[in-house]
Amino acid sequence: MTSKSERIGWLGAMAAGIVALGVSLAAHGAIVSGQPNGQPRGGNYKLGLPDLDKQLSLSMTQSLSTRQILPGQATNVMVYSGRVLSGSPDGLGAPIPGSYLGPTIEVQQGWSVSINMKNELGVPSVTHWHGLDVPDTMDGHPRFAIPSGGTYQYKFKVLNRAGTYWYHPHPDMQTGTQVLNGLAGLFIVHDEEEARLNLPSGKYDVPVVIQDRNFDSANQFLNNPNGIDGLLASTVLVNGKANYEHSCSTSVYRVRLLNGSHSRIYKLAFTDGTPLTVIGSDGGLLAQPIVYPYIMLSPGERVELWLDLRGKTLGTKSTLRSSSFAGAGGAQGVATLDIMNFSIDYPGEPDSRVLPTNLSEIQVYRLQDAVNVNTPKTYAITRVNGVGYLLNGAVFDMLGTSANEVATCGTLEVITITNTTSSPNVAHPIHFHGRQFQILDRTTAPSGVAGWNNVKDGVQDTGWKDTFMIMPQQTVRLLVRHGKYPGLYNWHCHNLVHEDMGMMRNFRLQP
Ligand code: C2O
Ligand code: CU
Ligand code: CU
């Protein structure tokens, strides 16, 4: 359990920690991992992976390495690497050449997955499967962090529907540092409902993991956050690369966007007006595609795009840009940043595919069906000077929950989050482990309306969510169907700096 005073000293301690890490990384030298020269993602399959005895067994390692990110000196990084022990050989994609990102895990719904995870980082760690519904001992709760040299055996059945999930470390107060150093990867689930749509696949299914980083003069990652904004860095990396360009043909692509940044919220659009046709969100496909004028993507959130480049002129580029916006508080939204280019380099094969009008079946939850319809659980975001932002009035407590952070497995509840009192008031990406939920509604107090108007047309609130952005002066109501596994699950702000400062709580599910 961490006391408040320990939390208060956190920023200083972290600054010391990164120095120590730099030393140990330098002493460690490079580790070569995984299979070289792979494609960004493994499969050549057309309709998802075969049901190869419905299981996937992986051996994975977290270790120290280096990557050439900027010209000049290589950057010390922490990486996930791995190999398939049994099951589909395409269950673990080849690493993106030169990227620090971990290999993409790719499975069918219903598979049993086991991952033997070895920690060779020199510091404790544990891995969380963001968005997946797994038993609490498999969820990467900080209480299960293992020391360097240790191994954790993750084993779970994939209950989730097709979608773009991801994995990253989750040790208490060190999640940000470890993600900053490179530890993260995608976890893609396929299912039969998705397969029937015949969406673009293989090389037409493109992951775009957006992260921002600051570098020091020796090209090393700089961990220089503040307690209000978190870490807003100036260099955008996509899939671990600066100035990212994806070479395309005049074809249709499925683009999976993940905001894997610490703190930065993006306001995304194409500079040439290419439509942003969203087909999926955190928890997979939407019921129907929705075209947005721009997309707000806060840390931890995902959207999937149907990107139709068939009408493009060869030799042109479509630039995905994050525009500045006001209203999210602090320095959030001040910068305009180019994210990446889709470079239209060669003619596509004839392709007559059409955007499906119906994508998936989503059972819409109703407020009147919630077991606590008259007594909503209400959690306030507040701030205490010298401590940081709090959820439900308290900092993270390793094993503790408050009386209002307990529920029965399988029940549908309404949960109200308020962001109306803290000063300074900033936007936060709020994330619940272990279940996908629906957003019932948002209410914005008069003083927040102008800010909300800057972002509201790009906030993707339909479909299944596990992370959502709450703006200053806002109240958001969620309808949450609690999972079937009892235990202790985290919920927290996915601004990793806020999370590590204690903006995280436990939620206990009882049988
Ligand atoms: Cu990606 Cu606890 O979260
Ligand atoms: Cu999570
Ligand atoms: Cu926050």
Side-chain angles (χ1 to χ4, degrees):
M1 196 162 92
T2 310
S3 73
K4 276 193 183 173
S5 58
E6 282 172 89
R7 292 278 174 194
I8 294 167
W10 175 84
L11 280 174
M14 190 188 58
I18 196 70
V19 174
L21 175 69
V23 170
S24 72
L25 279 165
H28 197 280
I31 293 175
V32 179
S33 66
Q35 315 103 306
N37 302 324
Q39 299 160 353
R41 298 187 35 255
N44 297 317
Y45 53 88
K46 277 277 174 275
L47 293 172
L49 301 170
D51 266 349
L52 279 183
D53 55 30
K54 295 189 166 45
Q55 63 90 30
L56 179 68
S57 174
L58 304 176
S59 167
M60 292 185 75
T61 305
Q62 299 172 286
S63 60
L64 307 176
S65 188
T66 61
R67 291 289 184 273
Q68 192 74 47
I69 301 174
L70 301 176
Q73 201 170 325
T75 305
N76 295 322
V77 294
M78 295 177 163
V79 292
Y80 283 106
S81 56
R83 63 196 171 89
V84 176
L85 297 176
S86 67
S88 167
D90 289 335
L92 193 69
I96 301 171
S99 172
Y100 55 74
L101 287 183
T104 298
I105 299 170
E106 191 159 356
V107 301
Q108 290 283 351
Q109 184 184 41
W111 281 11
S112 295
V113 174
S114 75
I115 301 159
N116 199 50
M117 183 73 76
K118 179 124 206 267
N119 174 2
E120 293 178 357
L121 296 173
V123 290
S125 193
V126 65
T127 297
H128 168 58
W129 317 96
H130 180 128
L132 295 185
D133 183 2
V134 301
D136 83 321
T137 50
M138 299 296 135
D139 194 50
H141 190 282
R143 74 188 189 277
F144 297 121
I146 52 156
S148 185
T151 296
Y152 200 103
Q153 183 72 41
Y154 298 92
K155 223 172 169 35
F156 51 85
K157 194 174 163 81
V158 178
L159 303 177
N160 289 68
R161 59 205 293 272
T164 307
Y165 308 95
W166 61 303
Y167 61 96
H168 60 77
H170 222 287
D172 189 25
M173 295 191 286
Q174 292 299 318
T175 295
T177 300
Q178 293 186 11
V179 173
L180 181 95
N181 281 291
L183 290 171
L186 289 173
F187 194 116
I188 290 176
V189 177
H190 298 288
D191 66 13
E192 282 168 17
E193 188 182 46
E194 175 200 55
R196 281 196 292 271
L197 298 172
N198 192 21
L199 294 171
S201 63
K203 67 177 176 182
Y204 301 105
D205 183 343
V206 179
V208 173
V209 179
I210 307 170
Q211 298 175 305
D212 59 338
R213 293 287 185 270
N214 285 326
F215 292 86
D216 68 13
S217 56
N219 287 353
Q220 304 309 307
F221 293 135
L222 204 54
N223 202 354
N224 55 346
N226 68 67
I228 306 294
D229 300 319
L231 182 62
L232 295 172
S234 55
T235 301
V236 171
L237 303 181
V238 168
N239 298 337
K241 309 280 185 78
N243 305 313
Y244 195 77
E245 193 157 283
H246 190 79
S247 177
C248 298
S249 60
T250 49
S251 307
V252 186
Y253 289 83
R254 176 182 191 173
V255 176
R256 300 172 189 264
L257 297 171
L258 159 66
N259 183 350
S261 308
H262 275 52
S263 311
R264 191 176 286 287
I265 298 166
Y266 299 95
K267 182 176 184 175
L268 300 170
F270 285 103
T271 52
D272 65 355
T274 302
L276 293 162
T277 307
V278 173
I279 58 170
S281 61
D282 299 347
L285 294 168
L286 304 183
Q288 272 108 28
I290 303 176
V291 180
Y292 286 88
Y294 58 88
I295 291 169
M296 299 305 302
L297 203 62
S298 73
E301 286 188 292
R302 289 87 73 204
V303 292
E304 295 186 20
L305 301 180
W306 169 276
L307 181 60
D308 190 345
L309 301 177
R310 283 176 295 193
K312 298 288 180 194
T313 308
L314 290 182
T316 61
K317 295 183 203 303
S318 290
T319 301
L320 189 63
R321 174 173 294 168
S322 179
S323 301
S324 63
F325 60 97
Q332 189 70 258
V334 170
T336 292
L337 297 163
D338 280 356
I339 306 299
M340 65 171 291
N341 292 323
F342 290 87
S343 177
I344 320 299
D345 293 340
Y346 52 102
E349 291 153 26
D351 180 358
S352 60
R353 68 177 73 229
V354 288
L355 175 64
T357 43
N358 292 303
L359 296 164
S360 75
E361 201 73 56
I362 292 183
Q363 187 217 336
V364 178
Y365 294 155
R366 302 181 315 172
L367 178 61
Q368 63 263 38
D369 296 333
V371 294
N372 65 340
V373 58
N374 296 314
T375 51
K377 287 187 157 76
T378 301
Y379 305 135
I381 295 170
T382 54
R383 185 171 178 277
V384 173
N385 266 328
V387 178
Y389 289 98
L390 306 182
L391 288 173
N392 203 19
V395 290
F396 183 58
D397 169 356
M398 187 64 92
L399 299 173
T401 48
S402 296
N404 66 348
E405 292 169 312
V406 179
T408 304
C409 288
T411 53
L412 181 71
E413 286 200 316
V414 53
I415 293 181
T416 304
I417 314 266
T418 66
N419 187 24
T420 50
T421 60
S422 67
S423 172
N425 198 327
V426 300
H428 303 269
I430 303 298
H431 170 53
F432 285 83
H433 282 209
R435 48 235 139 114
Q436 299 288 327
F437 49 79
Q438 293 176 5
I439 294 182
L440 176 61
D441 55 22
R442 293 174 182 260
T443 321
T444 311
S447 60
V449 169
W452 174 235
N453 285 342
N454 293 327
V455 301
K456 70 172 189 333
D457 293 338
V459 171
Q460 203 294 115
D461 274 352
T462 58
W464 295 107
K465 296 289 293 169
D466 58 50
T467 310
F468 66 96
M469 174 180 72
I470 185 167
M471 285 288 282
Q473 304 306 330
Q474 229 171 25
T475 297
V476 181
R477 291 197 297 172
L478 314 176
L479 286 168
V480 181
R481 169 82 62 195
H482 295 297
K484 68 170 189 168
Y485 299 117
L488 203 60
Y489 291 89
N490 292 132
W491 67 284
H492 58 88
C493 179
H494 220 288
N495 180 324
L496 299 181
V497 178
H498 293 178
E499 174 184 344
D500 283 343
M501 290 176 74
M503 195 179 180
M504 174 156 73
R505 297 289 304 158
N506 285 319
F507 200 98
R508 182 176 295 284
L509 288 185
Q510 317 188 117

